[in-house]
Amino acid sequence: MLRLSKLADYAVVVLVRLSHHGGEVTTSPTLAQATGVPEPTVAKVLKALCAAGLVASQRGARGGYRLARPLHAIPVAAVIVAIDGPISLTACVDGATGGCEAQETCPVRGRWDPVNEAIRAALTRITLDQMDLPSCGGVRDFDKADRPGMMPGAAILAAE
Amino acid sequence: MLRLSKLADYAVVVLVRLSHHGGEVTTSPTLAQATGVPEPTVAKVLKALCAAGLVASQRGARGGYRLARPLHAIPVAAVIVAIDGPISLTACVDGATGGCEAQETCPVRGRWDPVNEAIRAALTRITLDQMDLPSCGGVRDFDKADRPGMMPGAAILAAE
DNA sequence: CATAAACAGGACCGAGTGGGTCCTGTTGAA
DNA sequence: TTCAACAGGACCCACTCGGTCCTGTTTATG
C-alpha cells in the first residue's frame, strides 16, 4: 500500500501550477479553478505550504500566494513534510511515546530506520521541477475540463 | 504521512521470527505467542505471505510454516507487495481506470513515476536480514514482556 | 479407520483517520 | 470606509484498514 495523502498530491499540483504564474501573486480561487481542486481544499493546502515557508502570502485585497523559491529548489520531501509531517514508515521510529507493547518481543525494533532513511533520501533527491511535464510547458488548457472522475493524483501509494 | 500498513509491519516481524526457527515448520499460534501479535492476524499475514511464495506451508496435523528463502533473499519490497499490493504513491500511475477528473488540467499527471521508482528501488535494496537486530542475535527474551503500549511496528509512515 | 490439529480462504464488523466544508477573525488595497 | 483575500480554527462524513470469526480441506497419529 504505502499511500501518499491526497493533500500532499494536491500540494504538488498547486505548487507546479503556481510556478506557471511566474512571480505573480495568485489567489487560491484562481488556482482552484486552474487545477480542478475544490477551492476550500486548495486554501487549506496553501495555508500549510505557507506555514512551511514553501510559498509566500500577500494578505488583504489583491492578495494571494507566490512561490517562495523556484521549483528546482523544492524537493518532494519538503512538500510531504509540510502537509503530512515527518516522513517515516513506522511510529516506532520517531518519538513513539507510549512505547511499544511488544517492545521486548518485537524483533525489528528500530530497524525500519534504514528503510525510512532510504525513502527520505529518495524523496529529497527529487525536486518539483522534475514533476512538471516538459511536454505541456506553461499553461495547458484542453478543450473542456468537466468530465466526472477522480481528482488530480488520487494518492494511493499502493493501489492494491 | 506516507504510512505503511500495520499488516506489512507484522509480516516483517513474523518473517524475522520465523527465521529464528531455522528450517523447522512453525505453527501460527507459536509465532503469535512469540511476537505478541494476535493469532488470527498472524494467520492472515502468513496466508498472504504464503500466496506470495515468501513462506512455504505444511498442511495437516504437525503442519505449519517455514521460510521459502533465507532472510537475505527477501527484500522489504517483496513483503510490502505481498501484503499491500504494488508499491506506488498515487493511483494515477498504475491502471488508474476511471480516469482522472483533472486529467486535462492536472500538471503532474504521471509525474509521480520517478518518485515511485525511487521508493521502489530503495525498498528493494534493503533485505530482511538487515532488519534483524544483530545485537539480539537469535531469540531475545527480556526480563518481562507485559507493559501496556502499542504493537510491534505501529506502522505510520509519517506520524505527524 | 477415526480423530484432531493445522492451514485455506472467505465474509464481516467496528474504529480510526483523513478529506472536505464552513465559519469567524484579520489584513490591507482601492 | 469597504471589500477582497488570507488565517486558522472547528466540524462532519465517508472510506479504509485492522482484527475476528466461520466453514472447509488436508494429513499426521492412535
Side-chain angles (χ1 to χ4, degrees):
Chain A
M1 183 269 265
L2 249 175
R3 80 164 189 279
L4 177 70
S5 81
K6 280 189 186 179
L7 275 304
D9 191 9
Y10 295 161
V12 172
V13 174
V14 168
L15 286 171
V16 170
R17 191 70 194 193
L18 203 48
S19 77
H20 294 167
H21 292 270
E24 299 297 303
V25 264
T26 311
T27 70
S28 58
T30 301
L31 289 170
Q33 203 208 347
T35 58
V37 178
E39 196 277 327
T41 301
V42 171
K44 184 184 219 175
V45 165
L46 283 170
K47 285 168 196 168
L49 293 176
C50 186
L54 296 181
V55 301
S57 68
Q58 173 68 36
R59 302 189 59 161
R62 303 279 300 169
Y65 295 91
R66 62 188 160 72
L67 287 181
R69 337 173 204 161
L71 281 191
H72 67 77
I74 307 179
V76 177
V79 180
I80 296 179
V81 168
I83 303 293
D84 300 320
I87 298 173
S88 72
L89 277 169
T90 62
C92 266
V93 189
D94 40 291
T97 54
C100 205
E101 167 182 313
Q103 226 166 16
E104 327 72 24
T105 0
C106 178
V108 295
R109 237 182 90 57
R111 272 311 179 165
W112 281 102
D113 295 9
V115 179
N116 289 327
E117 270 317 308
I119 291 183
R120 224 166 293 176
L123 292 178
T124 303
R125 202 174 308 123
I126 301 177
T127 56
L128 288 193
D129 61 322
Q130 295 170 48
M131 301 190 68
D132 191 3
L133 292 193
S135 52
C136 70
V139 180
R140 191 175 53 147
D141 58 334
F142 286 59
D143 33 313
K144 235 12 328 98
D146 41 12
R147 317 171 194 165
M150 333 166 24
M151 297 315 285
I156 301 198
L157 225 190
E160 173 280 335
Chain B
M1 187 268 264
L2 251 176
R3 80 163 188 279
L4 176 71
S5 80
K6 280 190 185 178
L7 276 303
D9 190 10
Y10 294 161
V12 172
V13 173
V14 168
L15 286 171
V16 169
R17 190 70 194 193
L18 202 49
S19 76
H20 294 167
H21 292 270
E24 299 298 303
V25 263
T26 312
T27 69
S28 58
T30 301
L31 289 170
Q33 203 210 348
T35 58
V37 178
E39 197 277 327
T41 302
V42 171
K44 186 184 219 175
V45 166
L46 283 171
K47 285 168 196 168
L49 293 176
C50 186
L54 296 181
V55 302
S57 67
Q58 173 68 37
R59 302 188 59 162
R62 302 279 300 172
Y65 296 91
R66 62 188 160 72
L67 287 182
R69 337 172 207 162
L71 282 191
H72 66 77
I74 306 178
V76 177
V79 180
I80 296 178
V81 168
I83 303 293
D84 299 320
I87 297 174
S88 70
L89 277 169
T90 62
C92 265
V93 188
D94 40 292
T97 54
C100 206
E101 167 182 313
Q103 222 166 20
E104 330 73 23
T105 1
C106 178
V108 295
R109 239 183 88 58
R111 272 309 182 167
W112 281 103
D113 296 7
V115 179
N116 289 328
E117 269 317 307
I119 291 183
R120 224 166 292 176
L123 292 178
T124 303
R125 202 175 308 124
I126 300 178
T127 57
L128 288 193
D129 61 321
Q130 294 170 48
M131 302 191 68
D132 192 3
L133 294 193
S135 51
C136 68
V139 180
R140 188 174 55 147
D141 57 334
F142 286 61
D143 32 312
K144 227 31 306 103
D146 41 12
R147 317 171 194 165
M150 327 162 29
M151 297 315 285
I156 301 197
L157 226 192
E160 174 279 333

